[in-house]
Amino acid sequence: GLADSGSPDQELLLAGSEERRGERLAMLEAALEQFDDAAVFTLHGFCRRVLQERAFESRTLFDVELEPDSTRLWREAADQFWRRHFYDAGLRQVLLVRHCGVTAESLYDLLRAHLAQAEVGILGRATQRDWREVMQEADAAFDAVVAAWTSGRTAVEACFGDTGGTWAKVPYNRSERVGPMLAQVAALMEDREVSPDALETLMQFRQSVLNTAINLNQRKKGAVVPEHPFFAACDVLAGALEVLGARLRCEFLVQAPAELARLKERDRQMGFDDLLAGVAGALAGPAGPSLARLLRQRHRAALIDEFQDTDPLQWRIFSQVFGTGECHLYLVGDPKQAIYSFRGADVFAYLRAREAADRELTLDVNWRSERGLVEAVNGLFQNHPSPFATPDIQFRPVGAGGRSDAAPFT
């Protein structure tokens, strides 16, 4: 039985005097009997309970409802941003902004992706210039395109078609193809067709695009790509629009947290991420030390399973509460199984936590798999110097427990 197995754990349990062995066995039996009384939570569930039971320390309203799906508020935040900035804007400004890929729908997609990552910051240099100034530069770039077209239309059109476009590939070398394109550009320049399609056609006359459209056979014969201030002005406009799009996205992401907070306060609701943010904010506030102390008094030990799927915010919460050395904190995880980065999990949070640990233990026996499979996996990974892209995650070969050899595939 127990005395004959010879495992290190059992040897430790049975070491010492009869009285000490009896005490250890009694403690083990008591722990097993009381195991069902242990507090078991998801990380979000733990934070929710903290906010509910420690409302004063966390400054949480009592009547706030948990809403698992915040997409309605994300969409409303995107819609509100678009309306505030462009409801009264001119048709051309709306056209330029839409060409940048900035719409209410794209802003919603951006916000959803942004919030899926934990604590993503916005670089300061991305917000140094007012977006209105960037918008004015894009407007000025468009005016320069119009001016270059107005003064040089005849010369521009002479560069294309059956006669002037022999240097180029399709569509620039065929009048029946490039003619409608030039007509659409003319309509845009004269404000007769202010449409996304027309602006997209205009972008096909950038100097950088034309440089890639030369016919290689004609180049061998000495043909060159024509140059004109209109083509160069189109390139400048494209660059200005790229800057404008980036600046507007940054503006939205900077404003979004305050807008979402306002909408949630209006509707008296919070999402799952707000549970984490609420506890983290409470711990960082003036009542943080007393809140952490109360939690340590209530939970003398904490064990977090699948720790490789946590994020930096979650680790900061639990390290502040349980990582002070006043209680026991156990982290169970395998960085090789960190597969939830799309949900914000950060394997580097696991690596930082591992560095902070005062002891590291590894399971070196696989009890589930057949010996042949264990040996095959060992052989596959242990011969590579860095099989998981970073030297901080190494493959450690394990032994086979042998239980599955007698009954494979069960």
Side-chain angles (χ1 to χ4, degrees):
L2 186 62
D4 299 329
S5 64
S7 72
D9 292 338
Q10 291 166 354
E11 290 177 0
L12 177 63
L13 185 63
L14 297 173
S17 66
E18 185 71 28
E19 181 180 357
R20 293 294 295 162
R21 290 198 298 269
E23 290 176 358
R24 294 191 192 101
L25 288 171
M27 291 175 63
L28 180 59
E29 290 176 354
L32 291 173
E33 291 174 357
Q34 298 173 15
F35 185 79
D36 289 340
D37 295 332
V40 180
F41 304 99
T42 64
L43 298 184
H44 291 87
F46 173 81
C47 290
R48 184 182 187 186
R49 182 167 180 173
V50 170
L51 295 177
Q52 290 174 334
E53 296 184 350
R54 302 297 175 186
F56 289 107
E57 291 90 344
S58 62
R59 299 183 179 182
T60 302
L61 297 176
F62 288 101
D63 57 348
V64 174
E65 294 185 3
L66 179 63
E67 174 53 59
D69 185 3
S70 298
T71 54
R72 178 182 62 83
L73 297 183
W74 300 347
R75 193 173 294 279
E76 185 174 352
D79 290 343
Q80 291 283 15
F81 179 88
W82 178 262
R83 281 193 289 266
R84 282 197 304 269
H85 289 74
F86 302 112
Y87 183 79
D88 295 325
L91 183 58
R92 183 207 283 182
Q93 284 191 337
V94 173
L95 175 67
L96 297 180
V97 171
R98 288 180 62 88
H99 184 80
C100 299
V102 178
T103 64
E105 186 64 27
S106 71
L107 291 175
Y108 162 74
D109 291 336
L110 175 66
L111 181 59
R112 181 177 59 183
H114 179 75
L115 294 176
Q117 306 299 318
E119 301 185 294
V120 177
I122 304 297
L123 295 176
R125 66 174 179 268
T127 58
Q128 287 176 350
R129 299 176 61 202
D130 190 282
W131 72 271
R132 298 173 188 82
E133 178 185 347
V134 181
M135 183 79 246
Q136 290 174 357
E137 290 182 359
D139 260 335
F142 190 92
D143 288 337
V145 171
V146 174
W149 171 264
T150 302
S151 62
R153 176 177 179 175
T154 301
V156 168
E157 292 179 333
C159 296
F160 305 100
D162 297 339
T163 302
T166 55
W167 61 272
K169 296 184 287 190
V170 177
Y172 303 102
N173 62 344
R174 295 185 180 178
S175 296
E176 73 274 12
R177 295 284 299 276
V178 76
M181 294 172 64
L182 291 168
Q184 194 174 35
V185 169
L188 176 63
M189 298 293 94
E190 298 166 8
D191 287 337
R192 291 184 287 107
E193 184 187 344
V194 184
S195 69
D197 287 344
L199 183 54
E200 186 60 41
T201 299
L202 176 66
M203 293 294 102
Q204 303 309 308
F205 291 93
R206 288 175 287 162
Q207 187 71 62
S208 59
V209 174
L210 298 179
N211 289 343
T212 66
I214 189 170
N215 186 299
L216 297 181
N217 290 328
Q218 295 299 321
R219 172 183 284 178
K220 294 176 182 178
K221 298 178 181 179
V224 295
V225 179
E227 297 181 353
H228 191 276
F230 172 74
F231 306 146
C234 289
D235 262 324
V236 173
L237 174 60
L241 293 180
E242 184 176 353
V243 174
L244 176 62
R247 184 62 189 86
L248 286 173
R249 293 183 186 94
C250 288
E251 183 76 13
F252 173 62
L253 292 180
V254 168
Q255 294 183 13
E259 178 65 12
L260 286 175
R262 183 188 71 80
L263 295 175
K264 290 172 182 176
E265 183 177 1
R266 180 199 67 188
D267 295 350
R268 307 189 79 80
Q269 72 177 50
M270 64 169 55
F272 281 120
D273 290 339
D274 299 312
L275 299 174
L276 299 172
V279 174
L283 290 171
S290 63
L291 175 59
R293 185 170 57 254
L294 288 170
L295 293 174
R296 284 192 293 270
Q297 290 172 353
R298 178 166 186 171
H299 306 284
R300 301 303 301 165
L303 185 150
I304 304 177
D305 196 14
E306 302 292 354
F307 187 75
Q308 75 276 356
D309 295 327
T310 56
D311 60 43
L313 179 60
Q314 293 168 348
W315 168 234
R316 189 165 74 241
I317 291 172
F318 286 93
S319 62
Q320 283 184 260
V321 175
F322 300 112
T324 61
E326 300 174 51
C327 57
H328 300 287
L329 175 60
Y330 303 94
L331 309 176
V332 181
D334 180 359
K336 300 187 297 299
Q337 298 183 42
I339 61 174
Y340 289 106
S341 62
F342 65 92
R343 292 197 320 211
D346 182 2
V347 69
F348 295 101
Y350 170 93
L351 296 176
R352 287 190 291 271
R354 189 179 68 182
E355 292 177 359
D358 55 14
R359 189 178 182 191
E360 181 179 353
L361 301 174
T362 299
L363 297 175
D364 57 4
V365 177
N366 183 328
W367 296 98
R368 296 180 179 179
S369 303
E370 299 173 59
R371 188 177 306 276
L373 178 59
V374 172
E375 293 174 351
V377 172
N378 286 341
L380 179 64
F381 286 100
Q382 67 184 358
N383 292 322
H384 194 289
S386 183
F388 301 107
T390 172
D392 294 322
I393 303 177
Q394 291 294 319
F395 179 79
R396 298 180 180 180
V398 300
R403 292 177 180 174
S404 298
D405 293 343
F409 302 112
T410 60

